[in-house]
Amino acid sequence: MELSKQYQTENQTGTLPKKGFDFKDFFQLITQSKSVLIGGAFVLVVVICAIFAPVISTHDPYEMNMSERLLTPMEDGHILGTDQYGRDLFSRIIYGARVSLEVGLVSVVLAMVIGVTLGLVSGYYGGWVDTLIMRVVDIFLSFPVLLLAIALVAALGPGIENVILALGFVYWTNYARIVRANVLAIKEEEYIQAAKTIGSNDFRIIFLNILPNCLAPIVVVATLGLGTAIVSEATLSFLGLGIQPPESSWGWTLAFGMKFIREAPHLSVYPGLAIMFTVLGFNLLGDGIRDLTDSKLKRN
Amino acid sequence: MNSNILEVKNLKTTFSSRKASFNAVDGISFHVAKGETLGIVGESGCGKSVTSLSIMGLVKPPGKVSGDQIDFNGVNLLNLPKREMRNLRGNKISMIFQEPMTSLNPVYSVGEQIGETLKIHKKLKGEERKRKVVDLLKQVGIPRADEIYDNYPHQLSGGMRQRVMIAMAMACDPQLIIADEPTTALDVTIQAQILELMKDLQSKKGMSMILITHDLGVVSEVCDRLIVMYAGKIVETGPVKEVLNNPSHPYTKGLLASLPKKGHKEKRLHFIPGQVPAPANWGKGCRFSDRCPYTMSQCETSLPPLMKAGEAQESACWLIPDEEGSTHNGFIEATR
């Protein structure tokens, strides 16, 4: 290895290392990765749409106009056409970003918090704790995911908050299993032993020494999970368990558009594109962030 | 009070499964004086590392540590509550590992990792902690310490990483350092530098050290006293010079004879035939008996205790002369 490093002359300035967060460094880091730039841009567009929906949208998304039903894109000033009730599709998609983002992000965070914590505990302590948690995971996995979500929403009552709760509660098992598997390997590493010898307690070892080492798979599962959550919300809404009309989400619009797939394919295509665009953005962003935060790939 | 920082009496570390249990460390007693370096040598699997983990209280289940006492500065570590044990670790007793490549956490910069010890035990914060870490890095001979602070472990060479490990171990000025084969993974020139550094820091700070190794060369350079372990037992102990110049146990002799010598003309190096017996095969007698060239009938039936074999030297072999001098000494001389 770089033996010569040891013989390099000593720097006599005696300065302390730079501290903390540096915006310039951060910006430089981001621009190193194309996927962070592209993914970030995608996500940014979606977030801006969600926040500034009233400004961006051209029509009232809830206003029906039977004389303008099923217009094709660019007809009569409707950028993406209208749906079966004559509502402006573009405006509905812009407003739908709010619901879809909320459902996607919050349910993923919820699932992540539950799953990662239980996975860490399960993998680190092993024994009966591990057995107990993993059997619970098995029970969850033995149900078809959507059926379980439907049952939960049915029990809690329809509504967007309950959909979020249900999705978070259904998808946590992915995180728990992946994190546990990683912890099993990482906890045997010598640096964990070393952490014990300097007197770290279990909490410190689990959250400060083990968790950062399994971030990469967590980020991957989370970015993929985001797409799944958005689509699952669509399914639940389609069954009347999610958002309630006249509100709209992408999934809901897409699902209802399917009825008119021959006459007006744009009704399903554009919400679908919006979902794809968002999920792609988050995936690219997640991948890029993982690469950038991987200390092994860091350049000097 | 005595001048011993660590006194271990009849330490037993037992690993048990449903079918069987065995003592990886089987009733050993030793002490470490203040400022002294104690070497523990022996083949792989003879209980060296388990001894050190037992002292640190880090033996994982199903392993269990028992025995009469592990007295550290008047505190018996054997029945110390977990929390107090944690306060000792890294603060009063610290450890250096064999593999500098894997004993640093890859996701933190080396500066942060050294600072961790100071954060836990000294509650140092911000600038003050950084200053101390940079200072520690300089003490272990790392050039451009302020730049290396922000480097990640993979950016450093093996020797540098071991220096970082040493800085971590020294951070809170511990009274005892346990170094588990600290130079085994390094190449020879770096080994010498690291040993030099450890010796130097030890004498500056007046620490005691337990050096676990299977390299007798390292022992002769660094240690004051020596323990030779075999199959969970101490077979010979004494001042390094006495033991190395005048080994009394056949195992020690075998180890020394196995070292290649300058001007060695024979084609094959000396070796001890056979291998360390598995704990299940430890008989009633001397555990070295099946590999020993001097085995007598007595060796197979009863386990020899540690007996005086020189001024400060003790050895667990039936060939050692007892007080009256009714000995097998002549026999040893003849076969040496």
Side-chain angles (χ1 to χ4, degrees):
Chain A
M1 292 217 30
E2 316 126 48
L3 230 154
S4 61
K5 260 195 174 175
Q6 300 201 14
Y7 301 105
Q8 278 171 10
T9 49
E10 196 164 340
N11 178 344
Q12 297 293 349
T13 53
T15 49
L16 278 177
K18 260 186 292 174
K19 64 168 177 189
F21 187 79
D22 185 335
F23 190 76
K24 231 183 184 174
D25 280 0
F26 177 70
F27 192 73
Q28 260 181 359
L29 195 68
I30 286 188
T31 47
Q32 275 176 16
S33 159
K34 274 192 188 113
S35 60
V36 166
L37 278 184
I38 297 171
F42 280 23
V43 170
L44 198 68
V45 168
V46 178
V47 169
I48 286 175
C49 285
I51 294 173
F52 298 107
V55 183
I56 298 170
S57 60
T58 50
H59 295 74
D60 181 345
Y62 307 124
E63 195 188 75
M64 299 190 193
N65 188 344
M66 290 303 166
S67 62
E68 294 188 333
R69 294 170 61 199
L70 297 176
L71 292 182
T72 51
M74 301 315 285
E75 209 174 336
D76 275 356
H78 294 285
I79 301 176
L80 298 178
T82 58
D83 67 5
Q84 67 271 35
Y85 301 116
R87 294 177 294 198
D88 181 58
L89 186 63
F90 177 71
S91 303
R92 284 180 75 73
I93 288 179
I94 297 291
Y95 271 89
R98 290 181 163 186
V99 177
S100 295
L101 266 192
E102 185 191 338
V103 172
L105 288 176
V106 180
S107 67
V108 161
V109 169
L110 187 68
M112 195 154 76
V113 170
I114 302 174
V116 169
T117 312
L118 288 177
L120 285 169
V121 169
S122 176
Y124 185 73
Y125 288 105
W128 66 267
V129 181
D130 183 33
T131 312
L132 182 73
I133 293 176
M134 283 304 118
R135 289 305 78 77
V136 173
V137 168
D138 287 345
I139 292 170
F140 270 79
L141 287 175
S142 65
F143 290 101
V145 168
L146 266 176
L147 201 64
L148 192 60
I150 290 168
L152 279 169
V153 178
L156 295 167
I160 200 77
E161 290 82 11
N162 292 340
V163 167
I164 292 174
L165 276 180
L167 291 180
F169 212 62
V170 166
Y171 285 116
W172 68 271
T173 51
N174 288 343
Y175 299 91
R177 280 159 58 100
I178 283 179
V179 168
R180 173 180 175 269
N182 275 277
V183 172
L184 286 182
I186 292 166
K187 77 169 178 180
E188 299 301 331
E189 294 279 350
E190 245 180 5
Y191 54 81
I192 299 301
Q193 180 84 307
K196 284 180 191 162
T197 62
I198 64 166
S200 306
N201 55 23
D202 284 356
F203 182 85
R204 240 196 146 73
I205 290 174
I206 293 175
F207 288 98
L208 296 180
N209 289 299
I210 295 180
L211 180 58
N213 279 296
C214 42
L215 275 187
I218 294 176
V219 169
V220 173
V221 176
T223 46
L224 292 174
L226 198 88
T228 318
I230 289 176
V231 176
S232 301
E233 181 270 330
T235 314
L236 289 174
S237 295
F238 185 69
L239 294 171
L241 294 168
I243 57 146
Q244 300 301 316
E247 247 190 292
S248 77
S249 71
W250 294 338
W252 200 82
T253 313
L254 183 149
F256 268 85
M258 300 232 290
K259 287 184 190 164
F260 304 94
I261 194 84
R262 283 160 181 258
E263 298 86 356
H266 64 274
L267 278 187
S268 297
V269 170
Y270 291 111
L273 280 176
I275 295 175
M276 196 199 82
F277 189 71
T278 310
V279 172
L280 180 66
F282 275 104
N283 279 340
L284 285 174
L285 188 65
D287 262 7
I289 288 175
R290 194 203 55 204
D291 289 349
L292 288 184
T293 51
D294 188 343
S295 55
K296 284 184 191 146
L297 298 174
K298 250 183 213 172
R299 275 160 238 145
N300 267 331
Chain B
M1 278 308 290
N2 54 37
S3 60
N4 290 345
I5 192 133
L6 183 77
E7 265 192 61
V8 176
K9 279 193 189 142
N10 195 24
L11 173 71
K12 278 185 185 161
T13 307
T14 317
F15 290 88
S16 40
S17 64
R18 262 175 230 166
K19 282 181 193 155
S21 74
F22 66 90
N23 297 333
V25 175
D26 197 6
I28 65 170
S29 306
F30 62 93
H31 67 273
V32 185
K34 269 186 189 133
E36 181 189 47
T37 304
L38 174 73
I40 302 184
V41 296
E43 277 169 85
S44 305
C46 64
K48 294 170 305 191
S49 296
V50 176
T51 305
S52 67
L53 290 179
S54 304
I55 296 169
M56 295 293 283
L58 288 176
V59 175
K60 281 185 207 153
K64 246 192 99 162
V65 183
S66 58
D68 296 347
Q69 67 165 22
I70 303 176
D71 182 297
F72 176 74
N73 252 351
V75 184
N76 189 358
L77 302 186
L78 270 180
N79 35 33
L80 206 62
K82 267 190 179 174
R83 172 182 277 269
E84 281 172 47
M85 193 68 219
R86 270 206 304 271
N87 288 340
L88 276 183
R89 276 187 221 134
N91 197 10
K92 302 274 187 246
I93 310 178
S94 57
M95 208 166 163
I96 300 171
F97 289 94
Q98 174 177 1
E99 276 287 342
M101 302 290 166
T102 54
S103 31
L104 289 168
N105 195 330
V107 301
Y108 290 108
S109 75
V110 296
E112 287 169 323
Q113 289 190 57
I114 300 169
E116 187 86 351
T117 323
L118 296 165
K119 193 151 96 192
I120 294 171
H121 295 294
K122 303 281 185 228
K123 310 277 180 251
L124 287 186
K125 286 198 184 92
E127 284 282 290
E128 199 190 354
R129 189 166 75 216
K130 256 177 201 172
R131 215 175 284 280
K132 171 90 182 162
V133 171
V134 171
D135 193 45
L136 278 165
L137 284 171
K138 281 181 184 158
Q139 275 182 41
V140 293
I142 287 184
R144 300 173 293 119
D146 45 328
E147 285 172 46
I148 300 293
Y149 182 97
D150 282 323
N151 278 21
Y152 286 84
H154 70 276
Q155 295 170 312
L156 304 179
S157 65
M160 292 273 266
R161 286 189 225 183
Q162 197 57 299
R163 282 171 200 264
V164 170
M165 286 301 293
I166 293 172
M168 246 168 112
M170 304 276 178
C172 296
D173 292 328
Q175 293 162 303
L176 175 67
I177 286 201
I178 302 175
D180 192 349
E181 312 209 11
T183 56
T184 311
L186 305 172
D187 61 61
V188 186
T189 48
I190 309 298
Q191 271 187 17
Q193 290 176 15
I194 294 289
L195 286 175
E196 194 63 38
L197 172 71
M198 285 171 58
K199 249 164 77 177
D200 187 44
L201 285 172
Q202 190 201 6
S203 63
K204 265 187 205 157
K205 304 203 172 189
M207 293 174 299
S208 310
M209 182 154 79
I210 298 180
L211 182 73
I212 294 173
T213 178
H214 46 229
D215 187 340
L216 286 166
V218 169
V219 169
S220 68
E221 260 178 69
V222 183
C223 300
D224 303 315
R225 259 178 341 106
L226 173 63
I227 287 177
V228 182
M229 281 186 76
Y230 186 79
K233 284 276 189 194
I234 295 179
V235 292
E236 180 157 14
T237 170
V240 165
K241 272 190 189 154
E242 275 189 49
V243 175
L244 294 186
N245 291 335
N246 190 19
S248 60
H249 195 285
Y251 180 58
T252 321
K253 281 183 204 169
L255 283 180
L256 283 168
S258 309
L259 290 176
K261 289 172 197 69
K262 211 175 172 184
H264 191 79
K265 288 279 157 57
E266 289 162 53
K267 275 194 181 143
R268 293 197 67 161
L269 289 170
H270 177 84
F271 63 96
I272 307 175
Q275 50 186 322
V276 185
N281 303 331
W282 292 349
K284 271 187 196 158
C286 175
R287 289 167 188 172
F288 190 56
S289 59
D290 58 344
R291 300 171 72 185
C292 182
Y294 314 121
T295 309
M296 311 172 292
S297 57
Q298 192 184 3
C299 299
E300 276 155 19
T301 50
S302 60
L303 190 67
L306 274 176
M307 295 175 278
K308 214 163 160 41
E311 225 167 283
Q313 200 175 346
E314 286 181 301
S315 175
C317 181
W318 291 121
L319 290 174
I320 305 304
D322 61 19
E323 310 275 301
E324 287 93 48
S326 63
T327 67
H328 300 278
N329 206 15
F331 177 63
I332 289 192
E333 289 304 326
T335 48
R336 186 173 274 170

